[in-house]
Amino acid sequence: MLSHGLSVANLEQSYGRTVLEADRELVEQRIESLLDEARSADIALLVVGDPFGATTHAELVLRARAMGVPLKVIHNASIMSAIGCCGLQLYNFGLTVSIPLWTDEWKPDSFLDKVLLNRRNGMHTLCLLDIKVKEQTAENMIKGNRIFEPPHFLTCPMAAQQMLSAAAERSKCNGKDQQQKRENGADEHCCSQRHNAVDIDERTMVVGMARVGWADQRILHCPLGQMASADLGLPLHVLIVPATDEKLHPIELEMLQLFSQSLFTRIVTSPMLQRAYVGMQCFWGVESSFASMAGVLNTRVGYAGGTSPAPTYANIGDHTEITELQFDSSCCSYEQILDWFFTHHDPTQRHKKQYASAILWVDESQHQTAEKAMEKANAKYGGRVQTYLKKLDQFHQAEDYHQKYWLRTQRAIFGELNLSDSEVVNSTLAAKLNAFIGGDYTDFDALRQLQKQCKLSGKLIHSVEQIARAGGVGGCH
């Protein structure tokens, strides 16, 4: 509590009593003195969650009973029950696990065993994430120095990264690789039977929860790979690995939809996902134009193509306004992306570097495709194409207010979506709605599908459709 906004002074004012900070050392090593004092005075231990959510407190009860100290327990809400607010039913949870904060030398992965066991049994897993407060380095412990490290909290993204790493390492021991390791006398721990059937990867759906019970609590349902880079804000966090979809109750599925970050999250993690980078003058219009393409799942705008460090809109330097396109190559090809590029702006116009026509390729395959597209365009325009072509060095994401700009201009619609800035950047739903509002997308059957899949209100859909039918609000392409 004291790490997140509450102070000892505030607590003392609230309770009208002296309040001492009871750290781990006091509760676990010096509790007898406190119990002695409790023989003749009323002493209360304030804890986060339910008192019996920690084995330390059960041991405290045993010591008090042994010393003949009377006690009373007042139960409280706990994360063990509060997790129900994400929609997963509590009686469908299996074994709870704790995920420790890894170090370079210490990376235990035993938590994965219980996660896999729960999934095999059709159960959810609550993963409690490590909290390190008043920790000492080995050197300070040896020397007896009472010097403590800053508080450190394992977050959902960090836990997701550790889980992916542990699962990938386990998977190496499957099948022929497992047999080969046995033949070579590899560590039996690595090749034991429990390492088989690791069904955890970047596509595994998880739930991240932050600051549960606080006014700014966050709940996010997304693939594990996406959780590894999600922004849920300040701790405390917990991570939940639900049972597989076929084991979920229909109400659980419907509730989880309320917390899904974006539409088509399973497709976004597909191995067929590729990225393209193009510049076509003002990136507001470019973003909405490409988002109307089938197969383009997400967009974000930024600056690239130059050498100036840390460009901004006010100080772009020698960079160009560039739009990043995330597309499913099983639905549309890079060649189709470039066809769209050359047919949706005039590549013969010369502009200053900020608004230049540009194709930034990321690998040799894209390079060759781009060269062919340039030859085709030059043949069409008599060699007058001004588009510059180069390898992408670094993409600098633009300021939040530029992302999905047309959508942001519609305050009522944008407010109803209730997306954070990071969610706006990563959301397929936001990209598609931005295309409708920009006037680039008029497939209203697709709009109805968005409504159904994302549980959007009829009022919101009607507003978007009206704007799109009127030609949109977009004004730069």
Side-chain angles (χ1 to χ4, degrees):
M1 291 189 297
L2 299 179
S3 300
H4 298 284
L6 296 180
S7 67
V8 170
N10 289 339
L11 290 174
E12 288 180 334
Q13 183 178 4
S14 176
Y15 289 109
R17 296 284 190 92
T18 300
V19 175
L20 302 176
E21 183 177 350
D23 57 17
R24 182 183 295 272
E25 181 182 354
L26 172 62
V27 176
E28 294 184 355
Q29 300 178 24
R30 297 190 288 116
I31 196 62
E32 285 82 1
S33 60
L34 204 62
L35 290 174
D36 278 336
E37 189 176 348
R39 295 178 188 274
S40 57
D42 290 335
I43 295 177
L45 286 178
L46 307 179
V47 301
V48 177
D50 191 86
F52 290 111
T55 54
T56 298
H57 302 143
E59 184 181 0
L60 177 60
V61 169
L62 294 175
R63 291 191 186 186
R65 291 286 173 84
M67 295 174 63
V69 177
L71 60 86
K72 179 181 180 180
V73 176
I74 300 175
H75 293 282
N76 189 17
S78 167
I79 191 61
M80 305 291 286
S81 58
I83 53 174
C85 67
C86 76
L88 294 174
Q89 298 171 1
L90 295 180
Y91 54 76
N92 286 336
F93 277 81
L95 298 168
T96 298
V97 305
S98 294
I99 301 182
L101 180 62
W102 283 1
T103 66
D104 291 339
E105 298 80 22
W106 187 66
K107 297 182 179 181
D109 64 355
S110 58
F111 64 87
L112 196 59
D113 298 323
K114 292 181 180 178
V115 175
L116 296 174
L117 176 62
N118 286 339
R119 283 174 68 82
R120 287 196 296 270
N121 291 332
M123 309 294 283
H124 316 313
T125 305
L126 169 62
C127 303
L128 302 175
L129 307 187
D130 203 359
I131 300 173
K132 293 189 178 297
V133 179
K134 297 194 75 171
E135 296 278 335
Q136 291 180 285
T137 63
E139 180 180 359
N140 283 325
M141 290 180 65
I142 293 172
K143 293 182 177 180
N145 297 329
R146 292 186 58 79
I147 300 175
F148 302 100
E149 296 297 294
H152 207 130
F153 305 91
L154 186 63
T155 63
C156 284
M158 296 162 64
Q161 293 167 20
Q162 291 184 188
M163 187 173 292
L164 285 170
S165 178
E169 188 64 29
R170 291 284 186 92
S171 295
K172 293 180 181 179
C173 294
N174 284 343
K176 294 181 180 179
D177 186 52
Q178 182 180 14
Q179 181 62 34
Q180 182 179 2
K181 287 177 180 293
R182 283 205 182 98
E183 292 173 355
N184 294 337
D187 182 5
E188 188 65 24
H189 170 76
C190 178
C191 297
S192 64
Q193 183 65 28
R194 71 188 181 91
H195 285 225
N196 286 332
V198 179
D199 65 341
I200 299 288
D201 59 27
E202 65 175 11
R203 294 165 295 181
T204 301
M205 299 301 290
V206 295
V207 179
M209 305 179 72
R211 303 173 304 283
V212 176
W214 291 67
D216 64 342
Q217 78 172 21
R218 284 290 312 282
I219 303 175
L220 173 62
H221 175 235
C222 69
L224 189 60
Q226 190 172 337
M227 184 64 72
S229 60
D231 180 10
L232 296 185
L234 295 172
L236 300 170
H237 291 191
V238 294
L239 185 70
I240 299 173
V241 183
T244 54
D245 281 358
E246 62 270 17
K247 298 291 186 179
L248 294 178
H249 189 280
I251 292 180
E252 291 181 308
L253 285 169
E254 187 171 355
M255 281 291 292
L256 289 176
Q257 284 295 321
L258 298 177
F259 308 111
S260 293
Q261 175 167 311
S262 61
L263 180 64
F264 307 141
T265 50
R266 292 185 186 276
I267 298 177
V268 169
T269 60
S270 164
M272 303 303 290
L273 183 69
Q274 294 187 22
R275 287 175 169 79
Y277 297 85
V278 296
M280 296 162 53
Q281 301 177 42
C282 174
F283 50 26
W284 294 346
V286 180
E287 186 178 41
S288 60
S289 175
F290 274 99
S292 66
M293 284 188 70
V296 173
L297 303 177
N298 201 11
T299 59
R300 63 174 177 147
V301 298
Y303 316 109
T307 58
S308 303
T312 64
Y313 189 72
N315 187 19
I316 195 171
D318 61 346
H319 288 282
T320 300
E321 291 189 11
I322 296 293
T323 301
E324 179 194 76
L325 312 171
Q326 297 182 28
F327 64 99
D328 185 349
S329 60
S330 67
C331 298
C332 67
S333 65
Y334 186 62
E335 183 178 6
Q336 289 173 308
I337 293 288
L338 296 186
D339 284 343
W340 187 281
F341 170 85
F342 280 113
T343 56
H344 282 75
H345 82 300
D346 185 353
T348 67
Q349 295 293 314
R350 182 183 293 275
H351 300 279
K352 65 178 182 178
K353 185 69 179 294
Q354 178 175 355
Y355 300 117
S357 175
I359 301 172
L360 305 183
W361 49 274
V362 298
D363 56 32
E364 193 55 34
S365 175
Q366 285 193 359
H367 185 194
Q368 294 178 11
T369 302
E371 289 283 6
K372 292 178 181 178
M374 287 281 285
E375 292 176 6
K376 181 179 176 181
N378 268 312
K380 177 181 178 180
Y381 292 106
R384 295 181 293 112
V385 172
Q386 301 297 315
T387 303
Y388 77 86
L389 176 65
K390 67 178 295 187
K391 184 176 182 179
L392 176 72
D393 182 20
Q394 183 177 2
F395 179 79
H396 304 269
Q397 183 172 306
E399 296 84 347
D400 289 333
Y401 67 88
H402 287 301
Q403 309 296 334
K404 316 297 189 294
Y405 183 80
W406 307 129
L407 175 60
R408 288 178 183 271
T409 65
Q410 305 305 301
R411 294 187 177 182
I413 295 172
F414 188 70
E416 183 174 335
L417 293 174
N418 194 31
L419 298 174
S420 69
D421 286 327
S422 62
E423 288 171 337
V424 171
V425 171
N426 296 311
S427 169
T428 299
L429 170 62
K432 296 299 182 182
L433 291 181
N434 189 58
F436 278 108
I437 294 171
D440 296 288
Y441 202 12
T442 56
D443 184 348
F444 298 112
D445 287 337
L447 183 60
R448 299 286 180 272
Q449 188 69 11
L450 285 175
Q451 179 183 15
K452 179 180 178 181
Q453 291 180 307
C454 297
K455 311 295 183 184
L456 302 176
S457 71
K459 180 181 178 181
L460 184 149
I461 292 299
H462 178 69
S463 298
V464 172
E465 184 171 344
Q466 276 192 318
I467 294 170
R469 289 189 183 278
V473 299
C476 74
H477 288 277

